[in-house]
Every structure is written in structure tokens, then in C-alpha cells.
Amino acid sequence: MALISPSRRLRRTPFSEGVEAAGVSAYTVYNHMLLPTVFASVEEDYRHLKAAVQVWDVACERQVEVRGPDAGKLVQMLSPRDLRGMLPGQCYYLPMVDETGGMLNDPVAVKLAEDRWWISIADSDLILWVKGIAHGYRLDVLIDEPDVSPLAVQGPLADDLMARVFGEGVRGIRFFRFGHFDFMGRDMVIARSGYSKQGGFEIYVEGSDIGMPLWNALMEAGRDLDVRAGCPNGIERVEGGLLSYGNDMTRDNTPHEAGLGRFCNTATAIGCIGRDALLRVVKDGPVKQVRAIEIETDRLPRCDRVWPILDGTRRVGQVTSAAVSPDFGCGVAIGMVRMTHWDPGTEVMVETQDGAFPARVRENFWN
Amino acid sequence: MALISPSRRLRRTPFSEGVEAAGVSAYTVYNHMLLPTVFASVEEDYRHLKAAVQVWDVACERQVEVRGPDAGKLVQMLSPRDLRGMLPGQCYYLPMVDETGGMLNDPVAVKLAEDRWWISIADSDLILWVKGIAHGYRLDVLIDEPDVSPLAVQGPLADDLMARVFGEGVRGIRFFRFGHFDFMGRDMVIARSGYSKQGGFEIYVEGSDIGMPLWNALMEAGRDLDVRAGCPNGIERVEGGLLSYGNDMTRDNTPHEAGLGRFCNTATAIGCIGRDALLRVVKDGPVKQVRAIEIETDRLPRCDRVWPILDGTRRVGQVTSAAVSPDFGCGVAIGMVRMTHWDPGTEVMVETQDGAFPARVRENFWN
């Protein structure tokens, strides 16, 4: 295992001080920013996440703020999801595609007002695409990365912890809705969302200066709940089938290949730049698609490259994220499988840098 | 020091196998790809780079290939450097700016033919901007990231090593020119360029499969030259004043603030998207600019955040890259300084996470 070399380019966050004090042991880099990946150990973090409550520095979910009279028009140009019914106060998971239907990002868009959106992005400089389109089409919008840093509170005790800091009202926030709450006289957008299946919230912390006071308040308030610093967990998110842009799908893939067809309304998403290309995909369907893959093993190397999925010597897909699950006693994986082999129960082999393992395509992820 | 968590999203390169076998000890992430930062130690790597020859995995300098009848027009839209005189066979260092004149990247553009360019990028997803502009303006171009991975050969013995592998002809390549050379029947574009001041080449390796054969051939041929795996060196590049996008300048800065005015011909760069904004900057000049800063110390913490430059309590700039130089016996730094304090010899203080150090603005970098 190699170290990570710090530099200004790998940006620290408003919560870095807390993360370091909590004993972070590994990072990844996400949107040119540090994202913690391990505190105690991946396994110990995993058990704690499923049992208690964690505070996650996910400032790396940077925001692209789109503001102005053409804001709604522009956001619709970016995605094949029909946004006509979306109301201020809603969050939508939006596949974003280029003119060929290739995925550029899979953000959560927060509609603050008719003319003001935050696009909470996965790992690509989506702002460059948004600015290029806005400029090329001469749209009347302002586009910027504001000083907004999400802090997630995840785990079965998340509601209890949040209620102690923000009041009982937070319990009423519905899934993928948000509300405005006060912390030390500052307005915070709080959504019921997050990159785990354990439930919880994401707080859009506006203003770096309030980052550590909020971090400390959550840690203080949750002491008897065993609150800890945590991070998206490499086992739990695969069990839950939470995709990772750059890992499980890239610009090579359509949303349909990524299994995100339910978030596309290609026929009615008038204005979407990738619409023409995707209408074709909708008609024929994808020839490969994301699937849950169960690997028969209790030991796997790090999934740091694509692992071919084989039927004999024939390559029928690839695994892109994998881990050994303590709870399910097998290797859990996300892969993209050709239609000839994507039916549940299909037996395949997965070839890793440490040898091949027998595996099986599953109907669903593990929860 | 924390570890880096491997995942497919932090892409391996065609040379990763060689890098690992050579005992890499730290990485950074650059264009969603692993970039080695340390082998033996930063100091030992530095001494060796200045004395012998190193082979660097800089595959993370990804290429944006622009091809088609509108290719030249599009590249000119991206940069305030006048490209009318640029010939096929030339490499140009090109500041790239948005509509406000803010820097989006500082690539080296390789003009392969009138209608075919490789833009060898620094750390931002420039392809998204290029695609957005091309789409918005309906330009007749193809834009893609080809399977091309630069491998650098740097150090005083670089010419000798390269001549052994590619023939004596490589010695004739002039600075920022390139030629085509054969390796095992494969065509390689080789430029005299690289991210050090020790001299050398960058080989644009087309096709991942030929990566390790070339790596091994260079290591084999250079055994008696003490060739080693190396990487851009955090001390040497600051001594030489080689800027790093994301560290020393960002989208907040104009090329003029970054001291790159000599690469801008804003008046005649007709078509450049940021031209209107930059004409204003050219007229008034920037109010702050990149400078070499000498820090009086033999010990510095990691420059993982901006360090304020102070005159008393007044903030007059910031240091963005710094290291202690064994050869010059002081702290060497790159900073951005306000015009009131940018004259050579100006005494200031630099405030780090480990306290403040006296420092002085210099006329030039250290070589």
C-alpha cells in the first residue's frame, strides 16, 4: 500500500481537521478533493455504520450552482430525466449525458427555486461541460462552484442524532426531499439522502467557517450514541448496489447500461442534448447492463482495475467494484454483463489479479 | 501520512506494473489516474534526477484528441495564444481559458496535422469543456481521449539513453518539437519536453500493450547509466518555476496572473472565447502575479493548503507550492503576490500550519 502525497491541488475540506483528529487512515481523491475511505478498518467501519451513526466528510460532492432565467432549461438539456414535474424542495437523481448518450456524471440535483439549482456532483469536472453548453447556446445563467460542502450523517441512529442538533423537525423530512434548518443562526439545507443504505441525511454546509463548529456539535451531541467519523464504505455500498461514477460506469456507458433507465424519460425529456442518441438505445435496449455478482470466495484482492467476467475463454462482462462481505459471507460485486449472460443464476468466472473465482449473476443486490 | 485507497476510478496506467516493481512509495491522483510522487525519498529522487536519468510514468497527462475540418478553429477558440504560425510538428504550451479569462488548464498542444491535434492536459477534465464548446457551436470535429500515454525520460543522461533505444536521430529533436520514431515496429511521437529543468523527452505511447515493453527496454538499455523509475519531483519543479495547475493557478486566475502573458497574443488571437475579458486584463495588467519566494528555513511542513503571505497583519498574497531545497539551502516556493509587494527583494512573512517564516520575493526562479 502506497501513501498519498498531500498538495494544495488535492483540496482539504472544511472538515479536514475533524477527520484528521478522528484518525483517518486512508483517502481517495474525488473532484480534486480528499475523501476519507478508512478510519479503523473497512470491516470495523462497516459494522459500526450498520449499528450506530457516523458523520461523513463528503465535501467532495461539490456543487455546480446554476442560477438565472435559463437555469431550468439548462438542467433539462443535461439530463434525459423529465424535469417538468420537479418542484422546488425536491432532490432528483439525474443521469447526465453528452450528445452520444454517454454518461458524464450522476449527480443529485437540488432544486432550490425555479431559477436556482445545486447539482451535487460525482467525480468529474461537470462544471466544464455545463459552462461549455451554456456558453455555446448563449444561455442566460450564472454557473459557479459555491462554498457549499456536504456533510453526511448516516446509520440507523441518524434521525436521533440529527434531532438533537436541528430539532425534531428533521425527522419529518421525506426521502429525497429537503428542508431549511438553523444551526448557530445559519441556514442549512438538509436532505434525507446519502451514499449508504442505512438511512440518514446530507447537510449542505454553506460557508467553510461553520464546518468545524457543526462537526463538533454533532460529535458532542452523539457521544452516547457512539457517533464516529466515517465515510462511504467500500463493502456496504456494493452490498446496496450504490453505483460509483468512474468505477461502475463511465462516459463509455449509457444510463440504460448502468441500470438507470428508470431515471430516464427519454421520449418526453425535450431539450436533452443526448436525447436523439438515447431514443435509439431505448428502442433496442442495451446489450450489456449492470448486475449484482456474487463471487464464491472469502478473500479478494483490491478491485483496482476491471476484472473480466468469463464464460470459459469468452469475455462476457467485467466487474468494476468488489469486496468481501462479512454479513453475507461471500464476495459482493458490481459488474456490467452482456445480455447473453445477464439472467439471474448464470454461472461465470471472475478473473482477478490473484486468480479466477467462480461467480453467479444475481437478481438483486444484497438489501 | 495516510494511505491511498486503490479503486478502478483511480486508473492504473500501462506502466503501473513497472512503477510497482520499482518500489513506488507514494502517489497523487491526476486526471483520475495514478501519478507516482516518491520512490526512494523526495530528496534522493531529486539528487538522482539531477545526476543521471529517470523514466517517468506520466500517463496521467491524458490526451484530448481533436480531429476534423474545424479542429484548428476549435483549438484557437480555447486559447489566447495566436496559433496562425503554428506548424504540424510543433508543440505549443497553451493557456486555456473560459469566457471570463479564467484558466481551465495549461496543456501542451501537439499539432500532428492541420486537422489533427493532441492536447496533453494538466489536471482538469478539459475534454468536457472542449466537447461542450464543440457541441454548442456545432463544429465539425471528433473529440476523444485516445489510448495514448506519455512516458517521460528526464535527466542529464536522457539523450544518451534515448539514443540507445530510438537511434541517434532523437538527439536532433529541438526543444518543443517532435518527430516520429520506431519502437518494435510501432510509431512513437517523441517530443523534447517534460516537467523538469534537467532536459529530456516525452514519448507519446500509443497503445497500452506496448507500454511495458518500452519501459523494460529503457530500463535495460540504461543499466550502466543508473537509470531509475522516477516522477515529477516536488523540489526540482519548484526550483525551476514549473507551475502546476490546481496548485499554483486555478479557474480563479488569468494567464497573466500566472505569469503566462508571454504565451498570450490576446489582440491577434481572433476567435478565442476569453478574448474580450482578457483584452481588459492586458490593458490594465494583473494586480497580482506568480513570483518565486525564498523562505528562510531548513524545515517546512507539507504545502497541502495555501499559505498566506503577510506584511505585518496585512495579507498580500499566498504560497501555493513549497519545499526545502537541498541545493539552495532554503525554502523554495511559488506564490501569487499583490503588486504592492511583488518587487524583487520585498520582505514578507509566510504563514504555514507550523508557524510563520521570514521570506523574500525573488526576481527569478532558481535556475
Side-chain angles (χ1 to χ4, degrees), chain B residues 186-302:
Chain B
R186 301 275 282 267
D187 180 66
M188 306 256 159
V189 167
I190 300 180
R192 191 178 288 274
S193 57
Y195 198 62
S196 87
K197 288 285 191 176
Q198 308 307 312
F201 302 87
E202 288 176 304
I203 311 165
Y204 291 79
V205 180
E206 203 168 353
S208 294
D209 62 303
I210 199 73
M212 281 312 299
L214 175 59
W215 175 281
N216 290 330
L218 287 162
M219 289 298 173
E220 189 63 35
R223 204 167 289 183
D224 62 305
L225 302 176
D226 191 25
V227 64
R228 296 187 200 168
C231 50
N233 184 274
I235 309 170
E236 196 269 351
R237 77 111 179 147
V238 173
E239 288 178 358
L242 295 170
L243 304 186
S244 164
Y245 183 76
N247 281 315
D248 305 314
M249 68 282 201
T250 69
R251 202 156 48 81
D252 282 339
N253 304 116
T254 64
H256 302 273
E257 289 175 352
L260 302 173
R262 66 189 182 284
F263 300 108
C264 300
N265 321 91
T266 309
T268 61
I270 312 288
C272 168
I273 284 170
R275 186 166 170 267
D276 292 349
L278 288 179
L279 283 173
R280 173 63 46 190
V281 174
V282 169
K283 189 158 172 281
D284 299 337
V287 299
K288 59 181 190 286
Q289 199 168 50
V290 159
R291 285 291 182 274
I293 313 283
E294 183 167 321
I295 306 178
E296 283 178 41
T297 182
D298 58 3
R299 218 174 21 171
L300 280 173
R302 288 296 199 126

Side-chain angles (χ1 to χ4, degrees), chain A residues 176-331:
Chain A
F176 263 54
R177 296 283 179 140
F178 67 83
H180 291 266
F181 292 83
D182 177 87
F183 176 75
M184 291 176 69
R186 301 274 282 269
D187 180 66
M188 306 254 157
V189 166
I190 300 180
R192 190 179 288 273
S193 58
Y195 197 61
S196 86
K197 289 283 190 177
Q198 307 310 310
F201 302 86
E202 288 177 305
I203 310 164
Y204 291 79
V205 180
E206 202 166 355
S208 293
D209 62 302
I210 199 74
M212 282 310 300
L214 176 59
W215 174 282
N216 290 330
L218 286 162
M219 290 298 173
E220 189 63 34
R223 203 168 289 183
D224 62 305
L225 302 176
D226 191 26
V227 64
R228 296 186 199 168
C231 50
N233 183 275
I235 308 169
E236 195 270 350
R237 77 112 178 146
V238 174
E239 288 178 355
L242 294 170
L243 304 185
S244 163
Y245 184 76
N247 282 315
D248 305 314
M249 69 284 202
T250 71
R251 201 156 49 80
D252 282 339
N253 304 116
T254 63
H256 301 274
E257 288 175 354
L260 302 173
R262 67 188 181 283
F263 299 108
C264 300
N265 321 90
T266 310
T268 60
I270 312 288
C272 169
I273 284 170
R275 187 167 169 268
D276 292 349
L278 287 179
L279 283 173
R280 173 63 47 193
V281 173
V282 169
K283 188 158 171 283
D284 298 338
V287 300
K288 58 181 189 288
Q289 200 167 51
V290 160
R291 284 291 182 275
I293 313 283
E294 183 167 320
I295 307 178
E296 284 177 39
T297 182
D298 58 2
R299 219 173 22 172
L300 281 173
R302 287 298 200 128
C303 190
D304 62 356
R305 63 200 82 181
V306 298
W307 290 342
I309 299 177
L310 301 173
D311 175 5
T313 58
R314 189 167 148 224
R315 186 168 173 157
V316 298
Q318 60 184 29
V319 161
T320 50
S321 296
V324 171
S325 164
D327 282 357
F328 296 99
C330 63

Side-chain angles (χ1 to χ4, degrees), chain B residues 15-291:
Chain B
F15 318 111
S16 288
E17 201 187 298
V19 162
E20 288 164 356
V24 62
S25 58
Y27 288 106
T28 187
V29 175
Y30 198 95
N31 285 324
H32 314 278
M33 197 168 244
L34 295 171
L35 170 61
T37 51
V38 187
F39 284 86
S41 75
V42 178
E43 292 73 18
E44 194 177 328
D45 295 351
Y46 162 91
R47 294 206 183 284
H48 178 262
L49 170 62
K50 290 188 169 188
V53 58
Q54 297 182 347
V55 177
W56 294 2
D57 174 359
V58 286
C60 67
E61 295 169 3
R62 304 310 298 163
Q63 309 304 304
V64 178
E65 178 164 322
V66 181
R67 213 167 5 150
D70 287 337
K73 176 180 175 183
L74 174 54
V75 178
Q76 183 65 83
M77 289 174 76
L78 305 175
S79 178
R81 187 163 176 181
D82 188 337
L83 301 177
R84 283 175 302 170
M86 186 177 181
L87 303 169
Q90 285 187 313
C91 309
Y92 270 21
Y93 177 68
L94 292 189
M96 297 212 162
V97 299
D98 67 13
E99 73 285 358
T100 72
M103 289 188 69
L104 299 182
N105 206 289
D106 67 327
V108 172
V110 179
K111 185 172 181 175
L112 298 162
E114 286 299 336
D115 61 353
R116 185 164 177 238
W117 301 65
W118 283 341
I119 306 174
S120 190
I121 61 171
D123 183 37
S124 77
D125 297 334
L126 189 73
I127 194 169
L128 297 181
W129 171 251
V130 180
K131 279 169 62 82
I133 294 299
H135 180 77
Y137 282 87
R138 302 276 178 225
L139 300 182
D140 202 5
V141 286
L142 271 176
I143 297 157
D144 216 337
E145 183 182 305
D147 180 15
V148 172
S149 297
L151 186 67
V153 177
Q154 301 282 304
L157 306 181
D159 278 63
D160 294 339
L161 174 56
M162 289 291 284
R164 292 181 186 182
V165 174
F166 293 100
E168 291 296 316
V170 295
R171 295 186 193 270
I173 304 172
R174 286 185 289 151
F175 186 64
F176 262 53
R177 296 283 180 139
F178 67 83
H180 292 265
F181 292 83
D182 176 86
F183 176 75
M184 292 175 69
R186 301 275 282 267
D187 180 66
M188 306 256 159
V189 167
I190 300 180
R192 191 178 288 274
S193 57
Y195 198 62
S196 87
K197 288 285 191 176
Q198 308 307 312
F201 302 87
E202 288 176 304
I203 311 165
Y204 291 79
V205 180
E206 203 168 353
S208 294
D209 62 303
I210 199 73
M212 281 312 299
L214 175 59
W215 175 281
N216 290 330
L218 287 162
M219 289 298 173
E220 189 63 35
R223 204 167 289 183
D224 62 305
L225 302 176
D226 191 25
V227 64
R228 296 187 200 168
C231 50
N233 184 274
I235 309 170
E236 196 269 351
R237 77 111 179 147
V238 173
E239 288 178 358
L242 295 170
L243 304 186
S244 164
Y245 183 76
N247 281 315
D248 305 314
M249 68 282 201
T250 69
R251 202 156 48 81
D252 282 339
N253 304 116
T254 64
H256 302 273
E257 289 175 352
L260 302 173
R262 66 189 182 284
F263 300 108
C264 300
N265 321 91
T266 309
T268 61
I270 312 288
C272 168
I273 284 170
R275 186 166 170 267
D276 292 349
L278 288 179
L279 283 173
R280 173 63 46 190
V281 174
V282 169
K283 189 158 172 281
D284 299 337
V287 299
K288 59 181 190 286
Q289 199 168 50
V290 159
R291 285 291 182 274

Side-chain angles (χ1 to χ4, degrees), chain B residues 321-332:
Chain B
S321 296
V324 172
S325 164
D327 282 358
F328 297 98
C330 63
V332 294

Side-chain angles (χ1 to χ4, degrees), chain A residues 89-134:
Chain A
Q90 286 187 312
C91 309
Y92 270 22
Y93 177 68
L94 292 189
M96 296 213 162
V97 299
D98 68 12
E99 73 286 358
T100 72
M103 288 188 70
L104 299 181
N105 206 289
D106 68 326
V108 172
V110 179
K111 185 169 181 177
L112 298 162
E114 285 300 336
D115 60 353
R116 186 164 178 236
W117 301 64
W118 283 342
I119 306 175
S120 189
I121 61 172
D123 183 37
S124 78
D125 297 334
L126 188 74
I127 193 169
L128 296 181
W129 171 251
V130 180
K131 278 169 62 81
I133 294 299

Side-chain angles (χ1 to χ4, degrees), chain A residues 5 8-9 29 37 125 247, chain B residues 5 8-9 29 37 125 247:
Chain A
S5 282
R8 180 208 177 188
R9 188 173 52 76
V29 176
T37 51
D125 297 334
N247 282 315
Chain B
S5 282
R8 179 207 179 188
R9 188 172 52 76
V29 175
T37 51
D125 297 334
N247 281 315

